[in-house]
Amino acid sequence: MIQGSIVAIVTPMLPDGAIDWPAFDKLLEWHVSSGTSAVVVVGTTGESPTVTVEEHCALIERSIKTINGRIPVIAGTGSNSTAEAIYYTKAAQEVGADACLLVTPYYNKPSQEGLYQHFKKVAEEVDIPQILYNVPGRTGVDLLPETVSRLADIDNIVGIKEATGDLDRGQQVINLCANRIAIYSGDDATALDLILAGAKGNISVTANVAPAQMAEVCRLALAGEKEKASLLNARLAGLHHALFLESNPVPVKWALHELGWIENGIRLPLVPLNKAYHIPLREAIRHAGL
């Protein structure tokens, strides 16, 4: 079971929008050396909506080659088309991904039965560990705890990224499913509390800019060291907030550029961070000790 701080890594881009492969390799190495437990590639933070099919598969393959087994690679392979999700999941399996992260189908808003049948079909078609991803604020559909519980009985569904930010919801899922699948927070601001309540880690945006700190917060929380974890997390609280002043990954890519890790490239329809947010994000970076 993968536990701890799992970074939902950005896809570095040049100012013209081309993928910056050397910068991607550099970020991966930084996470390995900083204690990040695993990497999620081509998730929402990795701009999965705007990379091409070829780029999507290449990013997964590149991360697997660069990391070379040192930490697990979780490939983002979700889609609102079941057939497309199966295609991406098979492609990830073929190049050696350790697991896949599948977001709930967005925009077409399936019923709970549709969600169940979607994830069940992908799991049956591709024999690789799969982590569900519930983020209703982005997708327009909510994977309810009862449906998660049904899916938890499928052998290769091994976890869920619960990104509602609702601790009561997270606790419901833990109570129903923690003996069968791993529950991961998908909300940095509430991740510590969810881990203390029984979650196994955090699939994190903040870890992009503070990998060592997030790894330590998760390590302490998993060890039950609430006071130490809370003190460290308090330094990151402003960052948890500031990285969502605009839609993810706009602020986190700006922060990584500010810290000198990547160029300031992002693809339309996203645009660089509004100047009004530069000062509060800089202050959050400074307060975090970065």
Side-chain angles (χ1 to χ4, degrees):
M1 181 187 294
I2 300 169
Q3 300 189 45
S5 177
I6 303 163
V7 65
I9 198 166
V10 302
T11 299
M13 294 173 182
L14 300 171
D16 64 1
I19 294 175
D20 186 344
W21 295 103
F24 187 55
D25 291 341
K26 187 168 67 170
L27 289 178
L28 291 168
E29 291 292 347
W30 185 33
H31 284 288
V32 172
S33 65
S34 296
T36 297
S37 297
V39 176
V40 170
V41 186
V42 215
T44 307
T45 312
E47 290 177 79
S48 56
T50 53
V51 297
T52 66
V53 173
E54 294 77 18
E55 288 170 333
H56 190 122
C57 296
L59 282 159
I60 295 167
E61 186 169 14
R62 179 74 164 238
S63 63
I64 291 164
K65 288 181 177 178
T66 300
I67 288 175
N68 194 28
R70 289 174 290 172
I71 59 174
V73 173
I74 303 167
T77 60
S79 174
N80 61 345
S81 159
T82 304
E84 185 171 86
I86 290 168
Y87 172 85
Y88 280 131
T89 306
K90 282 183 175 176
Q93 182 189 45
E94 286 169 4
V95 295
D98 296 282
C100 291
L101 180 71
L102 292 113
V103 70
T104 49
Y106 38 86
Y107 188 74
N108 42 12
K109 298 178 74 172
S111 66
Q112 293 301 303
E113 183 61 25
L115 291 169
Y116 174 77
Q117 294 296 338
H118 168 81
F119 288 118
K120 178 173 178 283
K121 180 69 171 174
V122 180
E124 288 172 344
E125 291 289 326
V126 194
D127 185 21
I128 187 173
Q130 295 175 26
I131 300 168
L132 313 173
Y133 177 14
N134 187 40
V135 57
R138 276 189 177 265
T139 62
V141 65
D142 190 0
L143 185 65
L144 297 179
E146 296 77 15
T147 308
V148 178
S149 184
R150 290 177 70 194
L151 289 163
D153 287 330
I154 298 171
D155 286 346
N156 59 323
I157 292 179
V158 300
I160 179 170
K161 176 183 177 182
E162 178 52 61
T164 59
D166 181 338
L167 288 171
D168 289 337
R169 161 60 69 83
Q171 189 67 65
Q172 275 185 281
V173 178
I174 289 168
N175 293 344
L176 282 171
C177 306
N179 62 331
R180 290 173 289 159
I181 62 173
I183 290 84
Y184 302 102
S185 173
D187 176 66
D188 284 303
T190 57
L192 171 59
D193 290 331
L194 198 64
I195 295 171
L196 291 170
K200 295 302 180 185
N202 178 30
I203 299 177
S204 172
V205 174
T206 301
N208 277 281
V209 295
Q213 293 89 334
M214 285 303 300
E216 184 66 1
V217 168
C218 290
R219 185 192 70 78
L220 290 167
L222 287 165
E225 297 190 45
K226 180 179 180 179
E227 187 174 337
K228 289 181 180 178
S230 298
L231 283 171
L232 181 53
N233 192 59
R235 294 191 66 186
L236 301 173
L239 203 52
H240 298 332
H241 170 72
L243 290 175
F244 291 89
L245 287 169
E246 286 192 336
S247 294
N248 180 44
V250 172
V252 72
K253 292 193 89 171
W254 184 88
L256 281 167
H257 174 63
E258 182 81 353
L259 291 167
W261 284 99
I262 64 173
E263 296 284 343
N264 198 20
I266 199 162
R267 287 188 182 175
L268 289 170
L270 300 181
V271 295
L273 185 69
N274 188 306
K275 288 183 179 179
Y277 299 124
H278 288 193
I279 290 174
L281 185 45
R282 278 198 190 103
E283 289 176 351
I285 291 169
R286 194 173 300 114
H287 188 262
L290 304 178

